[in-house]
Amino acid sequence: MRKRTRELWNSFSYWWGRRSLQSRLVAAYIFIILGPSLLVSVYSFRTINNTYVRDAVDKNNYLLQMEKLHIVNQIEVMERAAQMADSDKVVQNYLMNEVDPPLGELIDFNNTTYMTLNRIQVINPSIEHLRLYSPSLNMYEIWPIIFRESRVSAEPWFQKALELGEREMWIFQNNDPDLMERSTNPMTEEQPKVSLIREINVPAGHHIGMIQVDMMLNNFTPKTYTDVRDNQSQMFIADSELRLFTRTDHSFTENSPQLESAIAERLKIYQKTGEWNIDYKEGGKSFLLIHAPLDRIGASLLNVVSMEDVMKRISHTRNLLIGANIGFIFLLTAIAYVMNAFILKNLRRLTETMKKVRKGETYTGITIRGGGEVGELAHHFSKLMNTINTLVAQAVYKQALSKEAELRTLHNQIDAHFLYNTLENIKMLAEIEDQRTISDALTWLGGMMRYNFKWSGEYVKLRDEIRHIQNYIEIMNIRFEHPIRLELNIENAYLEVEVLKMSLQPIVENSVKHAWTTGGEELTGRTIRIDVTEAEGDLFILIRDNGLGLTPERLAALHEAIYAREEESQEFSGSGTGGYKAGGIGLRNVHQRLQLFYGEAYGLELQSEPGQWTTVFMTLPKVLLTGDKSS
């Protein structure tokens, strides 16, 4: 690849060197001007692009917020109507009446209380229906406000409302069925509506009925069902079940069939994470999905904005910038060519004279008016030709010899491969002598050396760090009469996450050196356990030994040394109940590296039970070795 690149460069250099000076100057002028011009054009285009998009977002977000404000007002109207209706004591008594009311009471109720209920709907013309349902079979229905519950008990929302008790329930429906059954086919025309439904309990816990306040969606959210057709934006309202309601004619969903499912999917993500992606593309078309939650009714309001006109304006602006750059370059080229032709006229005369001399013609001299570099060059050329003629007449030949000596300093370095090969040779000798223990020890040592020498970056897989620890434990067990047992409780998926290289080994080494120190006596049953868990995107690595632990005083001193901002001038001496150094230089270094690479939210924490165990908790983000934070 490098050879190919060199060949291409040499070819270009040769071609470029054969161009005329005038051509190269013109090209240089274009290159010098074209670079800044392109940078300014790209910056201007991006700025204009961002401005167009930001203006579109701000404008349509304003319209969305105004519509949300209107919806909030309509919600309050419906809630106020429901409160006025079901808080009337006379209405409550009528709903839970179990016997036929006297005719006088019925007439009085109809002339007073019922008229009050009817007036609520008259005062609020946007309310389509105000309905009260009674479980009593002896109650007289007074259409179109008071009904028996049997008319709606089969509706899907009825049982849900009973389960919610006196809490409000908001439902969206695609049609408005006729409870009085006066229409032969109530489903002939879709009439989407939103309903506020609440159970009436008097006293608390005693069901006496249900209240329902309906409002047509074209009144509830008029911009969603507006008759003014705007081909650049369309509003949607989604209920708690992620069903979308909008106008059916001239809808974006006609040409973008995946739009509804994409909105529903993003609403699911928003409910889980609170994150919303505003950009959407389908079939080569770009949209902005602007979202406003309606928390009071468990719904969402969306404004889908087509970026077609915005993209056309951006494309038009881009074409203008490109055209301006091309025109500017052509103009610059013409001006540069004319100016260079005038400036280089004398240089061409000198060049023609040189060509004649090269062909063997007698040099008769050249006169160039004016000074400058070309005049000076012509003067020196004349002097040169006179000198050459003198040298030819005298037949003097001069030979120049040049030698270049290069001194190289050889740096003797130990080749890592030499060490690996030497270990392999010693291992083979040990196997020939049937010294299996020595052979295994050399294998473990070679693995550790390769891991230490091969420092290709700060991050490695957890699998590699664990293998390095296993080699270290095996080598250290050669020294001990009672070996240390390494227990691993790590799922395979965690072995692929990245950790800082040499971040776990110093902690294990600290346990090996100090956890079981008892004044020379070697303890039995020594175990180091490594567990890996995760929570909320973070990884927790627990390294526990069953050593002698630390006293509370030594544990506090060790924490103070690890978390200190400045390094202590000298270590604490002594050990806890076991032999942990209270200074914790190795632990401090690991803690500082974790915070340096991952942030102050991560690092080490120690816990210990004197005489039983010590655990080091390491917290770091769960990141795959590719660099992406896993979910």
Side-chain angles (χ1 to χ4, degrees):
M1 181 65 183
R2 185 177 301 175
K3 182 179 179 181
R4 178 61 178 169
T5 303
R6 188 183 297 110
E7 292 175 353
L8 291 175
W9 172 253
N10 292 335
S11 299
F12 174 76
S13 299
Y14 175 77
W15 176 84
W16 178 254
R18 292 182 61 85
R19 300 305 97 194
S20 65
L21 180 60
Q22 183 176 3
S23 300
R24 284 184 281 176
L25 286 174
V26 171
Y29 295 152
I30 294 175
F31 180 78
I32 293 173
I33 301 299
L34 181 60
S37 177
L38 287 177
L39 291 177
V40 172
S41 298
V42 170
Y43 176 78
S44 301
F45 174 72
R46 289 184 176 178
T47 301
I48 294 172
N49 181 36
N50 293 335
T51 301
Y52 278 142
V53 174
R54 185 171 58 251
D55 290 346
V57 172
D58 292 343
K59 172 186 175 182
N60 289 278
N61 187 55
Y62 173 78
L63 295 176
L64 188 70
Q65 295 301 323
M66 293 300 295
E67 183 67 5
K68 179 180 178 179
L69 181 61
H70 176 81
I71 291 175
V72 170
N73 292 333
Q74 296 294 62
I75 291 173
E76 292 177 353
V77 168
M78 296 174 70
E79 290 178 339
R80 187 163 52 248
Q83 181 66 26
M84 293 174 63
D86 67 2
S87 62
D88 192 321
K89 298 295 184 181
V90 178
V91 172
Q92 294 174 2
N93 292 331
Y94 187 82
L95 292 178
M96 58 183 174
N97 191 5
E98 295 294 340
V99 297
D100 295 339
L103 181 60
E105 291 183 8
L106 189 60
I107 294 174
D108 183 62
F109 178 84
N110 187 67
N111 292 334
T112 56
T113 306
Y114 180 79
M115 294 302 296
T116 302
L117 295 176
N118 193 53
R119 193 177 297 112
I120 295 174
Q121 190 170 352
V122 173
I123 295 174
N124 303 289
S126 59
I127 295 178
E128 187 70 17
H129 305 297
L130 172 62
R131 291 169 176 168
L132 295 166
Y133 302 101
S134 172
S136 175
L137 298 178
N138 297 318
M139 184 271 305
Y140 284 103
E141 292 184 329
I142 305 178
W143 294 355
I145 296 180
I146 301 177
F147 300 89
R148 293 191 182 96
E149 285 185 353
S150 58
R151 291 182 179 271
V152 294
S153 59
E155 294 291 334
W157 52 261
F158 187 80
Q159 291 299 325
K160 294 181 181 179
L162 290 178
E163 295 173 0
L164 290 175
E166 293 186 353
R167 289 180 294 171
E168 293 179 352
M169 176 182 177
W170 293 85
I171 62 170
F172 290 77
Q173 300 181 70
N174 282 313
N175 55 76
D176 184 26
D178 186 3
L179 292 182
M180 294 171 284
E181 299 178 353
R182 295 172 299 177
S183 174
T184 57
N185 188 5
M187 303 294 290
T188 55
E189 181 181 359
E190 290 191 352
Q191 296 179 327
K193 68 176 183 178
V194 60
S195 302
L196 165 62
I197 301 173
R198 187 174 68 236
E199 184 183 14
I200 305 174
N201 292 321
V202 178
H206 179 65
H207 175 77
I208 66 168
M210 196 84 68
I211 185 168
Q212 176 181 353
V213 181
D214 295 338
M215 184 179 293
M216 292 300 173
L217 283 183
N218 57 358
N219 292 324
F220 189 72
T221 169
K223 283 188 171 59
T224 303
Y225 287 87
T226 179
D227 293 331
V228 180
R229 298 301 177 233
D230 181 6
N231 294 328
Q232 302 306 312
S233 65
Q234 180 180 353
M235 285 195 181
F236 292 78
I237 188 168
D239 64 4
S240 58
E241 298 178 357
L242 305 184
R243 294 183 302 167
L244 295 180
F245 296 84
T246 186
R247 67 173 192 249
T248 56
D249 57 327
H250 299 88
S251 175
F252 288 157
T253 57
E254 295 177 358
N255 298 322
S256 301
Q258 301 298 322
L259 179 60
E260 289 193 11
S261 59
I263 293 175
E265 187 64 27
R266 297 191 183 192
L267 287 173
K268 290 180 182 178
I269 296 175
Y270 178 79
Q271 291 175 354
K272 294 179 180 179
T273 64
E275 298 178 356
W276 182 261
N277 184 8
I278 195 173
D279 297 312
Y280 175 71
K281 291 184 178 180
E282 180 182 344
K285 298 180 180 179
S286 298
F287 298 92
L288 294 177
L289 308 183
I290 306 175
H291 168 252
L294 302 172
D295 297 328
R296 292 177 64 176
I297 62 175
S300 297
L301 186 64
L302 298 102
N303 193 2
V304 179
V305 183
S306 173
M307 298 297 289
E308 185 175 358
D309 282 354
V310 176
M311 290 296 106
K312 287 181 179 179
R313 291 197 297 269
I314 293 174
S315 178
H316 178 69
T317 304
R318 180 193 61 211
N319 295 337
L320 286 178
L321 289 174
I322 294 174
N325 275 289
I326 293 175
F328 179 71
I329 291 172
F330 273 115
L331 179 62
L332 174 65
T333 302
I335 295 175
Y337 184 83
V338 173
M339 294 298 295
N340 286 331
F342 178 77
I343 294 172
L344 299 177
K345 179 180 179 181
N346 290 332
L347 184 59
R348 282 196 297 272
R349 287 181 58 206
L350 179 60
T351 303
E352 292 298 327
T353 302
M354 289 180 176
K355 288 180 179 179
K356 292 179 181 179
V357 172
R358 183 177 62 83
K359 292 178 180 179
E361 298 182 13
T362 304
Y363 176 69
T364 59
I366 182 173
T367 302
I368 294 181
R369 297 180 180 180
E373 291 80 358
V374 177
E376 185 177 355
L377 182 61
H379 172 72
H380 288 294
F381 177 70
S382 296
K383 294 291 185 182
L384 176 62
M385 292 307 302
N386 292 331
T387 303
I388 290 175
N389 290 333
T390 301
L391 293 176
V392 171
Q394 295 177 355
V396 178
Y397 298 94
K398 185 178 181 180
Q399 182 179 6
L401 301 175
S402 62
K403 296 183 181 180
E404 179 181 355
E406 297 181 356
L407 299 176
R408 297 181 180 180
T409 303
L410 299 177
H411 299 278
N412 295 326
Q413 298 179 347
I414 298 178
D415 190 352
H417 292 288
F418 167 75
L419 295 177
Y420 301 151
N421 294 335
T422 302
L423 287 177
E424 288 295 328
N425 292 335
I426 298 174
K427 176 185 174 183
M428 291 179 61
L429 291 175
E431 291 180 352
I432 293 173
E433 296 294 333
D434 200 22
Q435 297 291 334
R436 296 297 180 183
T437 302
I438 298 176
S439 174
D440 293 341
L442 290 172
T443 300
W444 301 325
L445 179 60
M448 291 187 64
M449 291 178 62
R450 290 179 188 273
Y451 189 74
N452 288 332
F453 287 153
K454 187 180 179 182
W455 196 284
S456 58
E458 293 291 342
Y459 303 101
V460 296
K461 291 183 180 180
L462 179 60
R463 181 191 308 278
D464 297 332
E465 186 76 3
I466 292 297
R467 186 182 298 112
H468 181 63
I469 292 173
Q470 290 172 330
N471 289 334
Y472 170 76
I473 293 295
E474 294 293 346
I475 291 177
M476 295 305 297
N477 282 339
I478 298 175
R479 300 171 46 192
F480 303 130
E481 178 182 356
H482 302 289
I484 298 173
R485 185 161 58 92
L486 180 64
E487 296 181 356
L488 301 176
N489 183 24
I490 306 174
E491 296 182 10
N492 290 333
Y494 295 139
L495 293 176
E496 300 301 321
V497 300
E498 72 171 21
V499 297
L500 285 176
K501 188 171 184 179
M502 298 297 290
S503 58
L504 301 182
Q505 192 270 344
I507 302 174
V508 174
E509 182 179 355
N510 207 49
S511 296
V512 172
K513 291 182 177 180
H514 307 296
W516 299 281
T517 301
T518 58
E521 181 181 353
E522 189 173 316
L523 300 179
T524 62
R526 296 182 292 181
T527 301
I528 296 178
R529 179 183 176 90
I530 300 179
D531 296 88
V532 179
T533 59
E534 69 168 308
E536 297 181 356
D538 289 335
L539 206 66
F540 302 96
I541 302 178
L542 285 68
I543 304 175
R544 169 177 288 203
D545 62 64
N546 61 348
L548 299 178
L550 296 168
T551 62
E553 295 78 12
R554 293 300 183 185
L555 183 62
L558 184 57
H559 269 131
E560 183 178 355
I562 292 174
Y563 302 144
R565 291 292 181 182
E566 300 295 335
E567 189 171 356
E568 299 290 342
S569 59
Q570 76 178 58
E571 298 183 9
F572 293 88
S573 60
S575 56
T577 310
Y580 274 95
K581 279 191 173 182
I585 298 301
L587 300 179
R588 172 188 172 85
N589 289 340
V590 173
H591 178 74
Q592 290 183 342
R593 284 184 67 209
L594 291 173
Q595 291 200 331
L596 177 64
F597 282 88
Y598 297 130
E600 295 187 358
Y602 303 98
L604 299 181
E605 181 182 352
L606 274 69
Q607 294 183 7
S608 183
E609 184 68 27
Q612 297 186 27
W613 52 266
T614 299
T615 301
V616 178
F617 295 86
M618 177 185 293
T619 307
L620 65 160
K622 182 186 176 186
V623 180
L624 295 177
L625 201 55
T626 57
D628 299 328
K629 188 164 184 177
S630 60
S631 58

